[in-house]
Amino acid sequence: MVQDILKKNQLSVTESRLKILDLFLTAQGALAHADIEKKTGESFDRVTIYRTLQTFVEKGIIHHIPTTDNSVLYALCKEECEAGHHHDNHVHFVCDQCSKTICLEEVTVPQVKLPKGFNPRQAEMVVHGVCDDCK
Amino acid sequence: MVQDILKKNQLSVTESRLKILDLFLTAQGALAHADIEKKTGESFDRVTIYRTLQTFVEKGIIHHIPTTDNSVLYALCKEECEAGHHHDNHVHFVCDQCSKTICLEEVTVPQVKLPKGFNPRQAEMVVHGVCDDCK
DNA sequence: AGTAAATTTGCAATGCTGTTGCAAAGAAGG
DNA sequence: CCTTCTTTGCAACAGCATTGCAAATTTACT
């Protein structure tokens, strides 16, 4: 239940948090601030949404998704994520048709051989194409 | 010569374009708008720089670099790039130390096996770590 | 070289995205 | 039910990027 997730993370149960968390639970794919603003029917202040997202990230409920088009997206974390320590080494897929962004949990970012001198620490991969629904 | 590149692309030869193009030719690594603003010593208006970058991208002289931190970076295109059609399937490297972004022309983005239904069209990869200079 | 036409530049204004301070409203805990 | 602590909404602000328009510059032509 949505309430329990908030309580488990020591967060006050408020209308905005319930609603926004619910959106993430039912959404397939990642959400941007603007998506949430739209889907909540503008019942919450922009600032509240920003702060809620920030809080959720800090608690490890959602995480920040790498994009290459300079948008800011969030998605639910898997169980392995904890407050302050996110695991997110999977490939992300962006559909050119419906422009949804989806976490491909089962596809891990491949290793690449870098030129001499370059020391990799973390790699991110974003694949663009057509998703399952749009094909 | 810098002038010739402009003329080849049917662009008027102006001071700002010469200077900015020159910056790209001599820079190692990608440039952001702010870098250019700094390196030109604020002799051009911010707007002019924006418009120049836009024009260069349209002509295929520079291209937009994928980043995962929501910054906007540009780098020179290789010969294969043409107006409106960029080739940019190499890996990009971001140094955590000096925070330079470098095109690893010789490292191509590896293919990944996607779940059923997903149809890849283009993939981008950004590797973070420590670069040759900073190691 | 000189001039008209077309392009580019700089300024001002505007929009979008995200942040901060603060008082009022709401949740938690007894 | 009441006190305390947290969260919300508003207003203001900051940074980055875009647009309209008049002035300046470049190009092309004579």
Side-chain angles (χ1 to χ4, degrees):
Chain A
M1 208 191 171
V2 189
Q3 286 218 6
D4 301 328
I5 300 179
L6 291 177
K7 283 184 182 158
K8 204 178 301 169
N9 285 283
Q10 300 160 316
L11 290 173
S12 312
V13 177
T14 67
E15 210 193 320
S16 53
R17 287 180 181 165
L18 285 171
K19 190 75 202 284
I20 293 175
L21 183 48
D22 187 61
L23 280 181
F24 275 108
L25 287 164
T26 55
Q28 352 87 300
L31 295 176
H33 179 273
D35 297 327
I36 295 167
E37 209 169 355
K38 248 174 269 158
K39 296 199 181 185
T40 50
E42 282 150 34
S43 40
F44 307 116
D45 195 87
R46 289 166 21 83
V47 178
T48 302
I49 298 175
Y50 279 117
R51 287 197 270 228
T52 304
L53 289 171
Q54 211 172 281
T55 306
F56 283 0
V57 170
E58 279 162 15
K59 291 293 183 179
I61 300 173
I62 62 176
H63 68 279
H64 200 231
I65 287 194
T67 60
T68 51
D69 67 339
N70 292 89
S71 61
V72 181
L73 295 178
Y74 302 90
L76 268 190
C77 283
K78 296 275 139 186
E79 354 290 286
E80 316 109 52
C81 283
E82 284 153 41
H85 205 79
H86 294 286
H87 294 260
D88 185 30
N89 66 334
H90 55 264
V91 172
H92 291 89
F93 189 90
V94 182
C95 180
D96 295 329
Q97 224 99 82
C98 63
S99 62
K100 271 203 204 95
T101 296
I102 297 149
C103 295
L104 301 177
E105 310 280 359
E106 59 275 33
V107 185
T108 48
V109 177
Q111 297 247 315
V112 286
K113 215 162 82 224
L114 300 180
K116 219 169 130 262
F118 288 93
N119 215 316
R121 218 179 38 79
Q122 212 224 326
E124 279 149 3
M125 190 165 176
V126 180
V127 179
H128 294 254
V130 183
C131 78
D132 202 14
D133 294 340
C134 294
K135 68 149 186 264
Chain B
M1 208 195 171
V2 190
Q3 286 219 6
D4 301 328
I5 301 179
L6 292 177
K7 284 185 182 156
K8 205 177 301 169
N9 285 282
Q10 300 160 317
L11 291 173
S12 310
V13 178
T14 68
E15 210 192 321
S16 53
R17 287 180 180 163
L18 285 171
K19 190 76 201 284
I20 293 175
L21 183 47
D22 188 60
L23 280 181
F24 276 107
L25 286 164
T26 54
Q28 355 88 300
L31 295 176
H33 177 274
D35 297 326
I36 295 167
E37 207 169 357
K38 246 174 271 160
K39 296 198 181 185
T40 50
E42 280 149 35
S43 40
F44 307 115
D45 194 88
R46 291 166 32 78
V47 179
T48 302
I49 298 175
Y50 280 118
R51 287 197 270 229
T52 304
L53 289 171
Q54 209 173 282
T55 306
F56 284 181
V57 170
E58 278 161 17
K59 291 293 183 180
I61 300 173
I62 62 177
H63 68 279
H64 200 236
I65 287 194
T67 60
T68 51
D69 67 338
N70 293 88
S71 61
V72 181
L73 295 179
Y74 302 90
L76 267 191
C77 283
K78 298 272 139 186
E79 357 289 287
E80 317 110 52
C81 283
E82 286 153 40
H85 204 81
H86 292 287
H87 295 259
D88 185 30
N89 65 336
H90 55 263
V91 172
H92 291 89
F93 189 89
V94 182
C95 179
D96 295 330
Q97 225 101 82
C98 62
S99 62
K100 269 206 205 95
T101 297
I102 297 148
C103 295
L104 301 178
E105 310 279 359
E106 59 276 32
V107 185
T108 49
V109 176
Q111 298 247 316
V112 287
K113 237 219 353 258
L114 300 181
K116 220 171 128 257
F118 288 93
N119 214 317
R121 219 180 38 80
Q122 212 223 326
E124 280 151 1
M125 192 164 175
V126 181
V127 180
H128 294 255
V130 182
C131 79
D132 201 15
D133 295 339
C134 295
K135 68 150 188 257

